Amino acid sequence: MFDNRHVTHVPDPAPHYTEYDTRLAAYAVIVRDGQLLLALWNEQERKRWTLPGGGVELHETVEEGAVREVREETGYDVRLTELLGIETDVFAAAERAQDTARPLKAVRVFFAAEIVGGRLTAEADGTTDEARWFPLAEVAELSRVSMVDTGLGLLARSEGRGGERG
């Protein structure tokens, strides 16, 4: 359930939690009829496919943030069916997109989800340009962020232990 993928050199002694930023984000892994729902992320130099999801607002629960983000990025209303796992990454200040002297700890929560309403639409003026279904067999060929592989791996592990996705 837990996966630490990216840890850069942390100074010794490590900074106190008040000396770095934390970003909490929630993502949905949605598979239907052998296809995975992805959103095209536009915040870097080259666009890449990602799981629908993103930053959790201060007033939201992680679950509320995941549902809201999926709706914003894909147009679909979803029901979360299972907590799949959590991934953390640590980024040095120099690796961050914004000019800051503070390192970042990214905490990503992954849920399995099913569609319960809405229709596929692109996000307007957001961090993604479009949403699209891809056959699972084609996902490995896509230009994608590592979270896609993390989410699919967590889903496969869940299904392997008899997890239910609704």
Side-chain angles (χ1 to χ4, degrees):
M1 178 178 286
F2 302 100
D3 186 11
N4 291 320
R5 292 273 176 146
H6 180 274
V7 178
T8 58
H9 175 72
V10 177
D12 189 20
H16 186 265
Y17 76 90
T18 60
E19 299 173 320
Y20 60 86
D21 297 327
T22 303
R23 180 178 186 266
L24 176 60
Y27 298 89
V29 182
I30 305 168
V31 176
R32 182 175 74 182
D33 300 327
Q35 296 192 336
L36 176 66
L37 181 61
L38 296 176
L40 187 60
W41 186 46
N42 64 19
E43 285 198 310
Q44 299 240 324
E45 291 176 16
R46 80 182 159 99
K47 296 178 180 183
R48 294 181 287 167
W49 292 99
T50 187
L51 295 171
V56 175
E57 301 295 338
L58 184 62
H59 67 279
E60 294 177 312
T61 65
V62 176
E63 296 86 353
E64 290 168 341
V67 169
R68 176 188 50 78
E69 283 283 342
V70 171
R71 186 179 314 110
E72 289 176 1
E73 294 182 358
T74 71
Y76 287 123
D77 295 314
V78 297
R79 179 178 74 84
L80 304 179
T81 59
E82 182 182 357
L83 171 63
L84 296 173
I86 300 166
E87 172 185 65
T88 61
D89 283 344
V90 175
F91 297 94
E95 294 177 288
R96 296 187 60 186
Q98 58 185 205
D99 187 22
T100 179
R102 293 171 61 92
L104 172 71
K105 181 170 197 154
V107 181
R108 300 182 191 104
V109 181
F110 295 85
F111 294 95
E114 65 181 0
I115 295 172
V116 296
R119 64 180 177 81
L120 187 63
T121 56
E123 181 177 23
D125 300 321
T127 58
T128 61
D129 289 335
E130 69 175 292
R132 190 184 313 168
W133 291 97
F134 290 94
L136 286 167
E138 294 177 11
V139 171
E141 305 303 318
L142 297 174
S143 177
R144 65 195 184 285
V145 298
S146 64
M147 281 188 302
V148 173
D149 299 328
T150 299
L152 285 173
L154 290 167
L155 181 66
R157 200 163 89 194
S158 170
E159 290 173 339
R161 66 173 186 262
E164 294 183 17
R165 292 188 298 115

